[in-house]
Amino acid sequence: MSRAVTADHVLFDECIDSFRRERDDYRPYDTGESYSFLLTPFQLSEEWDLELCKISSSIRVTLPGAYSAFISKVKNPDWVGTHNSHLFGIALSTIVSSVTLKLSKSTRDDYLCRHNELSEHDIYQLAIVHPVLVADPGAVNSILSKSKQDQMREEISNLINILCSLDYEMYRTVMQSLRLIHLSLLTKRDDFGLAYFLVVSAIESIAQKAIKRDKVKKKHPEEALWKEKAEEDPMFEALLDAYLESRGKNEYLRERFVKFIEKYAPVEKWEQYIEHPMQDMVDSIKEVNPLHNLEHITGKHWFEKYPNDLTKDEIDLILSDVYVHRSCFVHRGEQPPHTNPNPSLNRFFQEVREYDDYNIKELILPNYELLLGLAKNSIYNWASEKLNKAL
């Protein structure tokens, strides 16, 4: 049961509980048709029927400057009830964001959810929940092709079906990881380092469950000799015991993080998982003019590195460094070494040079969009595997 008054604050556990009922005998606080809102960064040209709920086509609101808002009313499942029905919308916005990898939001209260008809004042009140920059540098592509919208709808529907079919505790685990992706998208414009940390944490949260410590723990090649020496030397035995105790506390989180990506988002599928940053724009243009050749925009440029240009050891080192940069932010507030949060000409990586006097260190860094794609697909593939094993 959620709080009586949510007071413009989100407790995501309430949203998790509202999206899927745990028991067949669940009864809402009050019954009746239930609605919430979804504000997307793109215009939905038609209604999305997701079986569990229905999302109406977008109302576009033009705001001051170069901002707009795209508002869709959501028909919640009948069992949600009218009290705090916005909690369903927040959970839905998390799922939509983690699938589309584009930030969607919902309201933090249910006041407007109770209105059968929205007044002009209501619409503008909703619009300020999620203003979207649609022009100028940093703007999003707010007009998506119909084929892209259809693809998104299908992917969202598939994920919802998985979430509704998983064991309830497993469902909660996946929703918590998806929320980290959602929060990453929410904070990226304000702090790249925090967004980076959150998307890495989304992967790590599942990696700890998917990859057991024993699968990656390392044993020193000289350990057998050390044990022989310890039998003859009490001081060395004490030192060896201290070493083994310390190693026993090592959770090998970085190694499990890398192993999880290798298994559930293998490098040979990265080109399938990661779209070019300009792909949405190209798709919109080609929908109007199918004969327009735009390969020069989305094709591989001579200066780009693709995954198949790198060895397995290089990929492993890049992924391992991702975890290091995440830890530097957590423990020291140190930003990742990326120099561009939106590299429009590089699909997978950006190359950075660090100078220390006469020494030059060259780094190959995964783009934020690459990390998002790895998070989305690795979590989805793991959840699908869990569901298939349970059936």
Side-chain angles (χ1 to χ4, degrees):
M1 184 66 69
S2 64
R3 291 161 291 162
V5 179
T6 56
D8 201 46
H9 283 71
V10 176
L11 293 178
F12 193 64
D13 275 356
E14 295 176 340
C15 305
I16 292 175
D17 290 338
S18 77
F19 191 79
R20 174 182 157 182
R21 58 180 177 181
E22 183 177 5
R23 306 180 309 277
D24 288 337
D25 62 350
Y26 171 86
R27 293 291 183 272
Y29 183 84
D30 48 9
T31 58
E33 283 199 349
S34 169
Y35 295 92
S36 55
F37 291 100
L38 181 71
L39 289 93
T40 57
F42 51 85
Q43 188 159 5
L44 272 69
S45 58
E46 58 186 28
E47 179 185 85
W48 282 3
D49 186 348
L50 302 177
E51 296 185 15
L52 182 67
C53 62
K54 291 183 179 180
I55 305 173
S56 70
S57 56
S58 299
I59 300 172
R60 179 168 185 164
V61 182
T62 302
L63 298 171
Y67 288 89
S68 289
F70 304 95
I71 305 167
S72 293
K73 195 170 186 178
V74 178
K75 173 64 171 69
N76 295 344
D78 292 339
W79 52 264
V80 171
T82 59
H83 178 67
N84 286 342
S85 61
H86 67 291
L87 297 176
F88 182 91
I90 295 173
L92 179 64
S93 70
T94 293
I95 294 168
V96 171
S97 296
S98 63
V99 171
T100 65
L101 303 182
K102 303 174 190 296
L103 177 61
S104 294
K105 296 181 69 176
S106 189
T107 59
R108 290 196 295 263
D109 59 54
D110 66 349
Y111 301 131
L112 293 174
C113 301
R114 304 169 189 170
H115 293 197
N116 292 327
E117 297 292 335
L118 295 176
S119 67
E120 184 177 355
H121 180 269
D122 293 337
I123 290 173
Y124 274 98
Q125 190 174 338
L126 282 167
I128 63 174
V129 170
H130 188 26
V132 177
L133 185 66
V134 295
D136 299 330
V140 301
N141 190 48
S142 60
I143 306 299
L144 300 182
S145 66
K146 184 179 184 305
S147 60
K148 183 60 178 285
Q149 292 184 51
D150 290 343
Q151 176 191 338
M152 288 177 170
R153 184 187 65 237
E154 182 178 357
E155 290 182 0
I156 292 166
S157 183
N158 289 341
L159 180 56
I160 288 175
N161 288 337
I162 290 173
L163 290 170
C164 291
S165 302
L166 285 171
D167 168 83
Y168 194 79
E169 287 306 312
M170 194 71 68
Y171 154 74
R172 291 184 62 86
T173 296
V174 176
M175 282 294 286
Q176 287 164 354
S177 66
L178 298 181
R179 179 61 167 175
L180 290 171
I181 296 177
H182 189 202
L183 292 174
S184 177
L185 291 164
L186 185 64
T187 58
K188 186 196 172 204
R189 286 178 182 262
D190 291 320
D191 194 295
F192 179 80
L194 179 57
Y196 186 98
F197 155 67
L198 288 167
V199 73
V200 174
S201 296
I203 301 171
E204 181 191 27
S205 66
I206 302 297
Q208 292 184 59
K209 294 183 176 295
I211 307 298
K212 301 302 181 185
R213 177 183 179 276
D214 289 347
K215 293 291 185 180
V216 296
K217 71 177 182 180
K218 298 176 182 177
K219 186 176 182 179
H220 197 283
E222 303 294 329
E223 192 169 316
L225 295 176
W226 293 349
K227 289 182 178 179
E228 291 180 8
K229 183 175 177 61
E231 293 175 358
E232 304 171 356
D233 187 337
M235 186 174 293
F236 191 85
E237 182 182 16
L239 182 63
L240 178 59
D241 288 344
Y243 163 76
L244 293 175
E245 181 182 0
S246 176
R247 189 183 68 183
K249 296 177 181 177
N250 187 348
E251 294 293 331
Y252 296 99
L253 296 178
R254 190 200 313 184
E255 291 82 1
R256 291 159 78 179
F257 172 83
V258 174
K259 188 73 173 178
F260 176 74
I261 293 176
E262 288 178 347
K263 182 174 181 180
Y264 291 99
V267 66
E268 58 268 19
K269 292 191 175 182
W270 286 10
E271 290 193 41
Q272 174 185 334
Y273 291 159
I274 315 301
E275 288 188 342
H276 191 279
M278 306 296 287
Q279 190 65 53
D280 287 344
M281 182 196 74
V282 166
D283 289 345
S284 297
I285 295 173
K286 289 184 72 67
E287 188 171 55
V288 177
N289 184 359
L291 299 179
H292 199 165
N293 185 359
L294 298 172
E295 179 64 22
H296 63 285
I297 296 179
T298 57
K300 182 181 178 182
H301 298 100
W302 65 268
F303 52 80
E304 279 191 278
K305 278 188 168 60
Y306 269 40
N308 57 13
D309 294 324
L310 304 173
T311 66
K312 181 183 183 305
D313 287 344
E314 288 174 321
I315 292 289
D316 287 349
L317 180 59
I318 289 170
L319 294 177
S320 182
D321 284 346
V322 164
Y323 196 83
V324 172
H325 298 145
R326 170 257 186 208
S327 297
C328 288
F329 178 84
V330 173
H331 300 297
R332 299 198 294 267
E334 186 176 306
Q335 292 281 319
H338 297 64
T339 57
N340 190 346
N342 298 305
S344 59
L345 297 178
N346 289 278
R347 183 173 172 184
F348 297 98
F349 308 102
Q350 56 182 279
E351 297 179 69
V352 174
R353 291 176 176 83
E354 294 183 345
Y355 298 90
D356 181 12
D357 293 330
Y358 295 103
N359 299 316
I360 301 176
K361 183 180 180 181
E362 295 187 350
L363 302 175
I364 299 176
L365 305 171
N367 288 341
Y368 175 75
E369 287 71 21
L370 171 56
L371 294 179
L372 278 178
L374 296 181
K376 166 189 170 179
N377 288 282
S378 61
I379 294 169
Y380 178 88
N381 290 338
W382 178 79
S384 297
E385 179 185 89
K386 286 297 180 182
L387 179 59
N388 290 334
K389 287 182 177 180
L391 295 178

